[in-house]
Amino acid sequence: MSTASPTAVPLATVSKPRRLSARHREWIAGYLFVLPDALGLLVFVGGPMLLSLSLGFFGVTGFGGYRFVGLANYRRMLADPLFLESLKVTLLYVVLLVPSLYVTGLGLALLVHRRSRFSGLFRTLFFLPHMVSLVVVGLIWQVLLIDKIGVVSRVSAAIGLGGLSWLGDPSLALYAIVGVSVWFLMGYYMLIFLSGLQDIPREYLDAARIDGAGPVASFRHIILPLLRPTSFFVLLVSTVTAVAGAQTFDLVYVMTKGGPANSTSLAIYYIYEQAFQFGEYGYAAAMASVLVIILLAFTVLLFRVTRGGRFDYD
């Protein structure tokens, strides 16, 4: 009895496992790298934000009592003169701080951008305040600015300013906070601008110099336009820091406690007071939600005006 030989299957008909393209593998690898951070943001940032948003519709005490109040917290907010005043103080603080950080950060970056024997030392010295704890910074400047015995007060009296009460005068306290904030943060923004300056091709500046352009013309027509994305980032981050940053809260908490006469009571500090000093967690959550909405609206406006860092200066 003869056995039948197995039928040969053409190699062309054998299905091969389909391999992912290089582009799809890059996408998968990128998503896998981002996944842990995205999960962390979802759990530790997204979750608390949703909880805070929902708490604004409840009357919440520190003992676990929840009572649905609808829009009562938001109506109370609109009739709260202290909250409205804190928004005005915050607006003034942003108007003073953000341009100051932009100018000082860019100025220091231009100063240390050129390679010299001491450029590394100057970069370290300018960034050094940012390495110190904000509580320590606040306490040191509080001692320096204290009335009559502080170094700054003595110097101001020696030059004929009459020993200004920097932290005790409602018309000066916010300016003192702004000055300390600029001193603390300018080194950080210097590094950001320095990174942007180092990305500018040297050939552009050399060509401008050959064409007879001076330092001012080169800065206006070459450096500043090419720093548009960096400028956009600095404006956005410094505004968020001024409105709701930990640096802002820490300095106010340590140096003035919102005083004198609520002249330094920023919105974020007033929200803290309502939540952790008076136990008004629902009301504080409602105010925090409004503050986030204001920041989102400003971010959208900044994107539209600057087109994401592609605005024209001329």
Side-chain angles (χ1 to χ4, degrees):
M1 184 176 64
S2 62
T3 57
S5 60
T7 305
V9 180
L11 294 177
T13 62
V14 178
S15 61
K16 297 180 180 180
R18 186 177 180 182
R19 300 182 61 183
L20 294 174
S21 64
R23 184 177 182 182
H24 285 86
R25 289 198 299 270
E26 290 179 359
W27 283 355
I28 294 175
Y31 283 124
L32 289 177
F33 277 115
V34 171
L35 182 61
D37 193 37
L39 290 176
L41 289 174
L42 181 64
V43 174
F44 298 106
V45 178
M49 286 182 64
L50 292 177
L51 178 61
S52 176
L53 181 62
S54 63
L55 285 180
F57 299 98
F58 291 85
V60 185
T61 65
F63 302 98
Y66 287 78
R67 180 172 55 88
F68 182 76
V69 296
L71 298 176
N73 285 327
Y74 294 93
R75 288 194 294 267
R76 174 185 173 185
M77 188 190 315
L78 295 176
D80 187 350
L82 293 179
F83 175 67
L84 298 178
E85 182 65 25
S86 71
L87 291 179
K88 295 179 182 178
V89 174
T90 302
L91 178 61
L92 178 59
Y93 182 73
V94 170
V95 170
L96 293 173
L97 181 64
V98 172
S100 300
L101 287 176
Y102 185 93
V103 172
T104 55
L106 180 56
L108 292 179
L110 292 171
L111 180 64
V112 302
H113 177 54
R114 291 186 176 182
R115 294 288 181 180
S116 65
R117 181 181 301 178
F118 301 105
S119 60
L121 175 62
F122 286 137
R123 294 178 187 181
T124 303
L125 291 177
F126 290 141
F127 186 74
L128 192 61
H130 197 72
M131 304 298 295
V132 183
S133 169
L134 261 175
V135 175
V136 176
V137 169
L139 290 175
I140 291 176
W141 277 102
Q142 188 180 44
V143 173
L144 293 175
L145 295 170
I146 196 169
D147 297 348
K148 295 182 181 180
I149 62 175
V151 174
V152 177
S153 296
R154 290 185 176 184
V155 171
S156 61
I159 61 178
L161 296 179
L164 298 176
S165 178
W166 291 100
L167 298 180
D169 190 340
S171 63
L172 296 177
L174 186 63
Y175 294 96
I177 297 293
V178 171
V180 177
S181 299
V182 172
W183 177 83
F184 177 77
L185 293 170
M186 63 182 182
Y188 171 75
Y189 292 102
M190 175 199 70
L191 290 184
I192 296 177
F193 276 118
L194 186 61
S195 176
L197 289 173
Q198 291 174 346
D199 287 337
I200 298 176
R202 187 68 188 177
E203 292 79 6
Y204 293 173
L205 298 175
D206 293 338
R209 189 179 301 110
I210 294 174
D211 290 339
V216 176
S218 297
F219 173 77
R220 179 183 177 186
H221 297 290
I222 296 178
I223 295 177
L224 203 56
L226 292 178
L227 283 178
R228 291 168 185 171
T230 306
S231 298
F232 168 76
F233 178 80
V234 168
L235 291 174
L236 180 60
V237 173
S238 60
T239 301
V240 174
T241 300
V243 174
Q247 297 91 341
T248 298
F249 172 82
D250 289 350
L251 285 179
V252 172
Y253 180 82
V254 172
M255 295 181 65
T256 62
K257 294 292 191 300
N262 295 320
S263 60
T264 61
S265 181
L266 303 176
I268 188 173
Y269 184 79
Y270 184 71
I271 292 171
Y272 157 80
E273 283 185 319
Q274 294 299 314
F276 298 103
Q277 292 188 11
F278 306 122
E280 296 283 352
Y281 294 101
Y283 184 45
M287 290 188 291
S289 301
V290 170
L291 200 61
V292 170
I293 292 173
I294 293 175
L295 279 177
L296 288 176
F298 171 79
T299 302
V300 172
L301 178 63
L302 188 61
F303 263 102
R304 287 186 174 274
V305 171
T306 67
R307 292 182 293 166
R310 297 185 297 273
F311 53 90
D312 295 325
Y313 287 93
D314 295 330

